[in-house]
Amino acid sequence: MLRSLLWLPGALMVVAALLDLIVTCIQTGEGRLSHRIHRPLYSALRAAAHLTGRRALLSWAAPLLITGTLTAWTLLTWLGWTLIFWSQPGALVGAESGQPATFVASFYFVGYTLSTLGLGEIVAPEPFWRVMTDVAAINGFFLLTFAITFVVPVAQARGERRELALLLHRAGPGAQALIVNAVHDHDHGLRSLTADLQPLLNRLDATHLNSPYLHRFHDHDRQDALDLHLPALGEALLIIQGALPGQNPPGLRRALASVDSLSRTFERTQARHPALRDAAVPPPPDLIPLREAGLALSPDEDFREFLHTHAALRSRLHAMALTGEWRWDQVAAHQGADAADS
């Protein structure tokens, strides 16, 4: 009697995996099941990096979370269909012996059906179960298709993240270095940090809104670390808007809005990360490097008041840096290329 009811939890497993596939790949970018898989895996990796003092371990977040998600989808679908077929004795029989398939044999049958191999060593003698075999094969095809749909955009998004990080690393690194180098070494001046970056920032913003789990990905090298260079860009844009008198460069507000949106997606994705609890609002930056570079600045009191109105954004940017095991002075400091690479 109990065995005959196993089709119910089996069907629930199959539907849960399918719904999570659709939500993660098409709708919101991270289904509830995926989120519950990502959170403990990411927490374990973060704890290992913190205990060992090896920040490089965080660079394994992407392969770990992707592998964990694909494994969970596959196992849920595989076990679910196995329970469905196993719930009815005689639903599957050996092709040569005609004997009812054991649980292990049913598991094997579902595996090669989902993978669309169609070996034929075990068969469904009744029409209903033959149709269910076809449904399972179609489900396997969907699983494979959505797995590709999940992995390929992630690879593309990681390339775009690294593109922006590398661009900012070479333009700075560090918030004040971005400003000084833009003014003195770039044909477009400060516009290189606003209007020139806008298309890439928009693409990244849209990608992270569609796939918020990207904020859990980290890179091994400093030059590729978006969790270091995006906070630096945000701090630089705030300095430009609040500390440099005169007309703002074109695209400043839109660039800052994209950085703010990315930080809000980060906050939603990392809601339980200790960094969001521990990250205080950073102190106002010391603008001596900008003065030494000959830039005119607003009064310090006016700039502090301006920063106070953006305290929430700066706190989120600080938390973003902390999740990547970066210090705020690495974000805000005016650093030469040699110092940055050391």
Side-chain angles (χ1 to χ4, degrees), residues 65-85:
L65 298 185
I66 291 173
T67 301
T69 303
L70 296 179
T71 300
W73 287 342
T74 301
L75 289 180
L76 267 181
T77 304
W78 196 342
L79 181 58
W81 277 108
T82 300
L83 292 178
I84 291 173
F85 282 104

Side-chain angles (χ1 to χ4, degrees), residues 325-336:
E325 299 292 327
W326 304 108
R327 304 184 311 274
W328 186 252
D329 64 287
Q330 294 173 299
V331 171
H334 181 294
Q335 304 175 46

Side-chain angles (χ1 to χ4, degrees), residues 74-297:
T74 301
L75 289 180
L76 267 181
T77 304
W78 196 342
L79 181 58
W81 277 108
T82 300
L83 292 178
I84 291 173
F85 282 104
W86 174 248
S87 67
Q88 178 61 49
L92 300 174
V93 299
E96 296 183 359
S97 67
Q99 296 297 315
T102 64
F103 180 84
V104 173
S106 298
F107 189 77
Y108 167 65
F109 167 82
V110 170
Y112 71 64
T113 300
L114 290 176
S115 62
T116 66
L117 291 177
L119 297 178
E121 299 175 19
I122 301 170
V123 297
E126 299 179 7
F128 174 78
W129 292 107
R130 290 175 183 171
V131 172
M132 295 304 291
T133 301
D134 293 336
V135 175
I138 294 172
N139 192 177
F141 175 78
F142 268 86
L143 179 63
L144 178 61
T145 301
F146 277 103
I148 296 172
T149 303
F150 174 62
V151 172
V152 172
V154 169
Q156 294 174 339
R158 294 204 72 190
E160 291 179 350
R161 284 166 55 92
R162 285 173 172 168
E163 179 183 355
L164 178 60
L166 184 59
L167 190 155
L168 293 174
H169 174 80
R170 291 177 176 171
Q176 296 192 54
L178 286 172
I179 297 172
V180 172
N181 293 339
V183 171
H184 293 300
D185 297 329
H186 200 286
D187 293 340
H188 293 171
L190 291 176
R191 181 178 175 180
S192 64
L193 300 178
T194 57
D196 289 5
L197 290 180
Q198 190 59 39
L200 183 54
L201 282 171
N202 280 340
R203 289 199 303 272
L204 274 178
D205 190 14
T207 300
H208 284 72
L209 286 171
N210 292 333
S211 306
Y213 52 82
L214 290 171
H215 279 296
R216 297 193 183 98
F217 292 177
H218 305 278
D219 288 280
H220 181 276
D221 297 324
R222 175 194 292 263
Q223 66 181 18
D224 299 326
L226 188 68
D227 46 24
L228 171 64
H229 297 297
L230 186 68
L233 175 62
E235 185 79 346
L237 295 176
L238 289 173
I239 293 174
I240 293 171
Q241 187 175 23
L244 300 186
Q247 186 175 4
N248 291 329
L252 174 61
R253 292 185 182 277
R254 286 178 295 166
L256 194 56
S258 293
V259 173
D260 182 71
S261 178
L262 281 162
S263 73
R264 291 179 185 277
T265 310
F266 159 80
E267 182 179 44
R268 186 171 70 251
T269 305
Q270 305 280 49
R272 299 196 178 190
H273 197 295
L276 282 168
R277 181 180 64 249
D278 300 337
V281 179
D286 185 349
L287 301 181
I288 291 177
L290 300 187
R291 291 191 178 93
E292 292 177 345
L295 300 181
L297 301 176

